Amino acid sequence: MLIAHLSDLHLFAHRPETAHTRPDIALRVCQIVADLTELRPLPDLVLISGDVTDGGSEDDYALARSILEKLPMPFLLVPGNHDRRDTMRAAFSDRLDFAPGEHLNFRVSAAGGIIIGLDTTIPGKVEGALCQARLEWLAKALTGVDSPTFVMMHHPPFSTGHKQWDRTNLTAGGAELAALIEQAPGQVRLLCGHVHQPIHTIWHGAYAAIAGSPAFEYALDIGGSAEPHLVASTYTYWLHHLRPDTTFSVHPRQVNLERPG
Protein backbone atom coordinates (compact mmCIF):
# COMPACT_ATOMS: atom_id res chain seq x y z
CA MET A 1 0.00 0.00 0.00
CA LEU A 2 1.28 3.45 -0.94
CA ILE A 3 -0.16 6.44 0.94
CA ALA A 4 0.45 10.11 0.16
CA HIS A 5 0.23 12.40 3.20
CA LEU A 6 -0.62 16.07 2.62
CA SER A 7 -1.77 18.74 5.04
CA ASP A 8 -2.82 22.36 5.52
CA LEU A 9 -3.95 23.23 2.01
CA HIS A 10 -5.77 26.39 3.23
CA LEU A 11 -7.88 26.64 0.10
CA PHE A 12 -10.19 29.64 -0.17
CA ALA A 13 -12.71 30.68 -2.78
CA HIS A 14 -12.87 34.45 -2.26
CA ARG A 15 -10.47 35.80 0.37
CA PRO A 16 -8.18 34.10 2.88
CA GLU A 17 -8.81 33.97 6.61
CA THR A 18 -5.08 33.59 7.30
CA ALA A 19 -2.85 36.52 6.39
CA HIS A 20 0.12 34.35 5.34
CA THR A 21 -1.78 32.11 2.93
CA ARG A 22 -0.43 32.49 -0.58
CA PRO A 23 -3.00 34.08 -2.91
CA ASP A 24 -2.44 31.47 -5.63
CA ILE A 25 -2.92 28.48 -3.32
CA ALA A 26 -5.67 26.93 -5.50
CA LEU A 27 -3.32 26.89 -8.47
CA ARG A 28 -0.56 25.35 -6.35
CA VAL A 29 -2.78 22.62 -4.94
CA CYS A 30 -3.72 21.81 -8.54
CA GLN A 31 0.01 21.51 -9.19
CA ILE A 32 0.35 19.04 -6.30
CA VAL A 33 -2.63 17.04 -7.56
CA ALA A 34 -0.99 16.88 -10.99
CA ASP A 35 2.23 15.66 -9.38
CA LEU A 36 0.36 12.91 -7.55
CA THR A 37 -1.25 11.72 -10.77
CA GLU A 38 2.18 11.45 -12.41
CA LEU A 39 3.59 9.10 -9.77
CA ARG A 40 4.27 5.49 -10.74
CA PRO A 41 2.96 3.51 -9.11
CA LEU A 42 0.04 5.69 -8.19
CA PRO A 43 -0.67 6.05 -4.46
CA ASP A 44 -3.55 3.92 -3.23
CA LEU A 45 -4.78 6.73 -0.97
CA VAL A 46 -4.24 10.42 -0.32
CA LEU A 47 -4.60 11.52 3.31
CA ILE A 48 -5.02 15.21 4.21
CA SER A 49 -4.50 15.99 7.89
CA GLY A 50 -6.60 19.10 8.32
CA ASP A 51 -6.97 22.75 7.35
CA VAL A 52 -8.30 21.66 4.00
CA THR A 53 -9.77 25.14 3.68
CA ASP A 54 -8.78 28.49 5.10
CA GLY A 55 -12.23 29.64 6.19
CA GLY A 56 -14.58 26.67 6.08
CA SER A 57 -17.28 28.26 3.91
CA GLU A 58 -19.47 26.33 1.49
CA ASP A 59 -17.66 27.98 -1.40
CA ASP A 60 -14.28 27.07 0.09
CA TYR A 61 -15.27 23.40 0.25
CA ALA A 62 -16.77 23.48 -3.21
CA LEU A 63 -13.41 24.69 -4.50
CA ALA A 64 -11.52 22.08 -2.47
CA ARG A 65 -13.73 19.31 -3.74
CA SER A 66 -13.46 20.45 -7.36
CA ILE A 67 -9.66 20.25 -7.12
CA LEU A 68 -9.35 17.06 -5.07
CA GLU A 69 -11.79 15.16 -7.25
CA LYS A 70 -9.22 15.34 -10.04
CA LEU A 71 -7.23 12.74 -8.08
CA PRO A 72 -7.53 9.27 -9.64
CA MET A 73 -7.36 7.63 -6.21
CA PRO A 74 -9.53 8.03 -3.08
CA PHE A 75 -8.75 10.81 -0.64
CA LEU A 76 -9.57 11.04 3.07
CA LEU A 77 -9.46 14.13 5.26
CA VAL A 78 -9.93 15.36 8.81
CA PRO A 79 -10.75 18.89 10.00
CA GLY A 80 -8.20 21.42 11.18
CA ASN A 81 -8.74 24.59 13.18
CA HIS A 82 -9.53 26.57 9.99
CA ASP A 83 -12.15 24.07 8.86
CA ARG A 84 -15.79 24.05 9.97
CA ARG A 85 -17.46 20.80 10.94
CA ASP A 86 -20.93 21.47 9.55
CA THR A 87 -19.87 22.65 6.09
CA MET A 88 -17.10 20.06 5.88
CA ARG A 89 -19.51 17.25 6.73
CA ALA A 90 -22.00 18.51 4.16
CA ALA A 91 -19.29 18.77 1.48
CA PHE A 92 -17.80 15.30 1.92
CA SER A 93 -20.40 13.09 3.64
CA ASP A 94 -21.08 11.26 0.36
CA ARG A 95 -17.40 10.30 0.17
CA LEU A 96 -16.62 9.73 3.85
CA ASP A 97 -18.67 7.77 6.35
CA PHE A 98 -18.25 10.05 9.35
CA ALA A 99 -19.15 8.58 12.73
CA PRO A 100 -22.45 9.76 14.28
CA GLY A 101 -22.24 12.77 16.58
CA GLU A 102 -20.62 16.16 16.40
CA HIS A 103 -17.04 15.05 15.72
CA LEU A 104 -15.78 14.22 12.22
CA ASN A 105 -14.21 10.86 13.06
CA PHE A 106 -14.07 7.88 10.72
CA ARG A 107 -12.56 4.40 10.37
CA VAL A 108 -11.79 2.95 6.93
CA SER A 109 -10.33 -0.41 5.95
CA ALA A 110 -7.74 -0.10 3.22
CA ALA A 111 -5.59 -2.65 1.41
CA GLY A 112 -3.09 -3.76 4.02
CA GLY A 113 -4.23 -1.54 6.88
CA ILE A 114 -6.74 0.64 8.71
CA ILE A 115 -7.12 4.42 8.40
CA ILE A 116 -8.61 6.25 11.37
CA GLY A 117 -9.57 9.90 11.11
CA LEU A 118 -9.61 11.66 14.49
CA ASP A 119 -11.18 15.09 14.94
CA THR A 120 -8.99 17.13 17.33
CA THR A 121 -10.57 20.53 16.73
CA ILE A 122 -12.15 22.91 19.24
CA PRO A 123 -14.60 25.26 17.48
CA GLY A 124 -13.26 28.82 17.52
CA LYS A 125 -9.84 27.81 18.91
CA VAL A 126 -6.43 27.37 17.30
CA GLU A 127 -5.34 24.62 19.69
CA GLY A 128 -6.72 21.09 19.70
CA ALA A 129 -7.93 18.56 22.26
CA LEU A 130 -9.27 15.07 22.66
CA CYS A 131 -12.26 14.93 24.98
CA GLN A 132 -13.53 11.79 26.69
CA ALA A 133 -16.05 11.11 23.92
CA ARG A 134 -13.38 11.16 21.22
CA LEU A 135 -10.99 9.04 23.27
CA GLU A 136 -13.70 6.45 23.89
CA TRP A 137 -14.52 6.38 20.17
CA LEU A 138 -10.83 5.88 19.33
CA ALA A 139 -10.48 3.09 21.91
CA LYS A 140 -13.32 1.21 20.21
CA ALA A 141 -11.86 1.89 16.76
CA LEU A 142 -8.53 0.36 17.84
CA THR A 143 -10.01 -2.63 19.66
CA GLY A 144 -8.92 -5.93 18.15
CA VAL A 145 -7.07 -4.30 15.26
CA ASP A 146 -3.77 -6.13 14.72
CA SER A 147 -3.09 -4.78 11.22
CA PRO A 148 -1.04 -1.61 10.62
CA THR A 149 -3.12 1.44 11.51
CA PHE A 150 -2.71 5.07 10.47
CA VAL A 151 -4.33 7.58 12.85
CA MET A 152 -4.74 10.92 11.06
CA MET A 153 -5.25 14.01 13.24
CA HIS A 154 -4.59 17.70 12.74
CA HIS A 155 -2.93 18.71 16.02
CA PRO A 156 0.31 16.89 16.94
CA PRO A 157 0.28 15.39 20.44
CA PHE A 158 4.06 15.78 20.81
CA SER A 159 6.48 18.67 21.20
CA THR A 160 8.04 19.98 18.00
CA GLY A 161 10.51 22.47 19.49
CA HIS A 162 8.55 25.40 18.03
CA LYS A 163 7.30 27.36 21.02
CA GLN A 164 4.56 29.10 19.03
CA TRP A 165 3.16 25.84 17.69
CA ASP A 166 3.62 23.73 20.81
CA ARG A 167 1.31 26.12 22.68
CA THR A 168 -1.42 25.42 20.12
CA ASN A 169 -0.93 21.72 19.42
CA LEU A 170 -2.93 19.05 21.26
CA THR A 171 -3.48 20.60 24.69
CA ALA A 172 -5.66 17.89 26.28
CA GLY A 173 -5.98 14.13 25.92
CA GLY A 174 -2.37 13.48 24.97
CA ALA A 175 -1.60 11.14 27.86
CA GLU A 176 -4.74 9.12 27.20
CA LEU A 177 -3.88 8.95 23.49
CA ALA A 178 -0.38 7.69 24.33
CA ALA A 179 -1.85 4.94 26.51
CA LEU A 180 -4.18 3.82 23.71
CA ILE A 181 -1.28 3.67 21.26
CA GLU A 182 0.86 1.66 23.66
CA GLN A 183 -1.99 -0.80 24.30
CA ALA A 184 -2.99 -1.23 20.64
CA PRO A 185 -2.42 -4.79 19.39
CA GLY A 186 -1.13 -3.63 15.98
CA GLN A 187 1.32 -1.04 14.74
CA VAL A 188 -0.02 2.51 15.01
CA ARG A 189 1.35 5.44 13.03
CA LEU A 190 0.30 9.07 13.53
CA LEU A 191 -0.12 11.48 10.63
CA CYS A 192 -0.50 15.13 11.69
CA GLY A 193 -0.45 18.68 10.37
CA HIS A 194 -0.89 22.17 11.85
CA VAL A 195 2.81 23.03 12.26
CA HIS A 196 3.48 23.97 8.61
CA GLN A 197 6.80 22.16 8.57
CA PRO A 198 7.57 18.53 7.67
CA ILE A 199 8.78 16.60 10.73
CA HIS A 200 9.32 12.94 11.68
CA THR A 201 9.56 11.52 15.21
CA ILE A 202 8.87 8.49 17.38
CA TRP A 203 6.24 9.07 20.08
CA HIS A 204 5.49 6.40 22.68
CA GLY A 205 6.87 3.78 20.34
CA ALA A 206 4.82 4.92 17.36
CA TYR A 207 6.13 6.53 14.20
CA ALA A 208 4.67 10.02 13.76
CA ALA A 209 4.88 12.49 10.88
CA ILE A 210 3.81 16.07 10.31
CA ALA A 211 3.25 17.07 6.70
CA GLY A 212 4.22 20.50 5.46
CA SER A 213 1.89 23.10 4.01
CA PRO A 214 1.82 24.46 0.45
CA ALA A 215 0.07 27.60 1.74
CA PHE A 216 3.04 28.83 3.83
CA GLU A 217 5.82 27.28 5.90
CA TYR A 218 7.87 28.35 8.88
CA ALA A 219 11.63 28.25 9.20
CA LEU A 220 13.28 25.50 11.22
CA ASP A 221 13.72 26.59 14.83
CA ILE A 222 15.24 23.77 16.88
CA GLY A 223 15.02 24.75 20.52
CA GLY A 224 12.53 27.54 19.94
CA SER A 225 15.04 30.37 20.42
CA ALA A 226 14.07 32.54 17.45
CA GLU A 227 10.98 34.50 16.53
CA PRO A 228 8.90 32.48 14.04
CA HIS A 229 9.27 33.61 10.46
CA LEU A 230 8.19 32.35 7.09
CA VAL A 231 10.54 30.69 4.65
CA ALA A 232 10.31 30.02 0.92
CA SER A 233 11.01 26.35 0.33
CA THR A 234 10.20 23.52 -2.01
CA TYR A 235 6.99 21.87 -0.86
CA THR A 236 7.42 18.35 0.52
CA TYR A 237 4.75 15.73 1.02
CA TRP A 238 5.29 12.20 2.33
CA LEU A 239 4.85 8.87 0.58
CA HIS A 240 4.35 6.01 3.04
CA HIS A 241 5.11 2.62 1.51
CA LEU A 242 3.58 -0.20 3.55
CA ARG A 243 4.81 -3.61 2.40
CA PRO A 244 2.98 -6.96 2.78
CA ASP A 245 5.28 -8.01 5.64
CA THR A 246 4.15 -4.80 7.51
CA THR A 247 7.56 -3.13 7.16
CA PHE A 248 7.39 0.36 5.74
CA SER A 249 9.47 3.21 4.41
CA VAL A 250 8.72 6.93 4.10
CA HIS A 251 9.84 8.91 1.07
CA PRO A 252 9.81 12.71 0.66
CA ARG A 253 8.30 13.98 -2.57
CA GLN A 254 9.26 17.54 -3.46
CA VAL A 255 7.26 19.92 -5.62
CA ASN A 256 8.57 23.30 -6.74
CA LEU A 257 5.57 25.56 -6.25
CA GLU A 258 7.39 28.56 -7.69
CA ARG A 259 7.44 27.21 -11.25
CA PRO A 260 4.55 28.18 -13.53
CA GLY A 261 1.42 26.12 -12.82
Side-chain angles (χ1 to χ4, degrees):
M1 180 167 62
L2 187 63
I3 292 176
H5 175 205
L6 317 177
S7 197
D8 294 84
L9 306 182
H10 286 263
L11 287 162
F12 65 92
H14 304 299
R15 53 183 177 273
E17 181 177 272
T18 308
H20 296 319
T21 295
R22 57 188 305 159
D24 63 348
I25 185 59
L27 177 63
R28 300 312 168 189
V29 175
C30 287
Q31 193 176 331
I32 295 165
V33 167
D35 187 77
L36 284 161
T37 64
E38 293 169 2
L39 289 173
R40 295 295 180 273
L42 284 171
D44 297 289
L45 282 171
V46 174
L47 304 184
I48 306 171
S49 53
D51 280 357
V52 180
T53 68
D54 199 54
S57 71
E58 291 182 3
D59 287 347
D60 290 345
Y61 286 115
L63 173 64
R65 180 159 177 156
S66 71
I67 294 173
L68 295 174
E69 284 183 336
K70 296 174 184 176
L71 289 167
M73 71 289 290
F75 61 87
L76 305 175
L77 36 77
V78 293
N81 53 286
H82 286 277
D83 291 305
R84 301 294 181 269
R85 287 178 182 154
D86 54 348
T87 44
M88 186 171 180
R89 184 187 293 274
F92 295 105
S93 59
D94 63 329
R95 300 185 63 102
L96 261 172
D97 186 17
F98 293 113
E102 65 175 304
H103 304 116
L104 300 186
N105 302 323
F106 63 83
R107 182 182 183 275
V108 174
S109 296
I114 302 293
I115 312 297
I116 292 175
L118 190 58
D119 182 345
T120 59
T121 61
I122 307 171
K125 301 287 187 180
V126 176
E127 65 270 21
L130 289 173
C131 60
Q132 190 62 33
R134 281 175 278 192
L135 289 165
E136 290 176 358
W137 179 89
L138 178 61
K140 291 179 181 178
L142 290 172
T143 299
V145 178
D146 58 2
S147 57
T149 302
F150 292 86
V151 176
M152 181 169 56
M153 53 195 289
H154 184 63
H155 297 86
F158 47 84
S159 172
T160 66
H162 289 251
K163 289 182 178 179
Q164 173 187 346
W165 288 111
D166 287 343
R167 287 193 296 267
T168 63
N169 285 340
L170 195 74
T171 58
E176 294 85 350
L177 174 63
L180 290 175
I181 289 173
E182 292 172 350
Q183 295 163 11
Q187 300 176 20
V188 177
R189 303 180 181 106
L190 298 177
L191 304 184
C192 308
H194 191 55
V195 175
H196 287 239
Q197 186 181 99
I199 297 173
H200 294 274
T201 191
I202 301 295
W203 188 69
H204 290 273
Y207 167 85
I210 299 173
S213 169
F216 59 95
E217 288 203 1
Y218 283 97
L220 179 65
D221 181 22
I222 296 175
S225 58
E227 288 296 318
H229 61 279
L230 299 179
V231 61
S233 62
T234 301
Y235 174 66
T236 301
Y237 64 85
W238 303 121
L239 289 169
H240 300 260
H241 182 201
L242 177 63
R243 293 178 280 269
D245 62 358
T246 73
T247 60
F248 80 106
S249 55
V250 183
H251 307 272
R253 175 73 174 181
Q254 296 185 324
V255 184
N256 181 8
L257 299 183
E258 303 310 316
R259 70 173 175 82

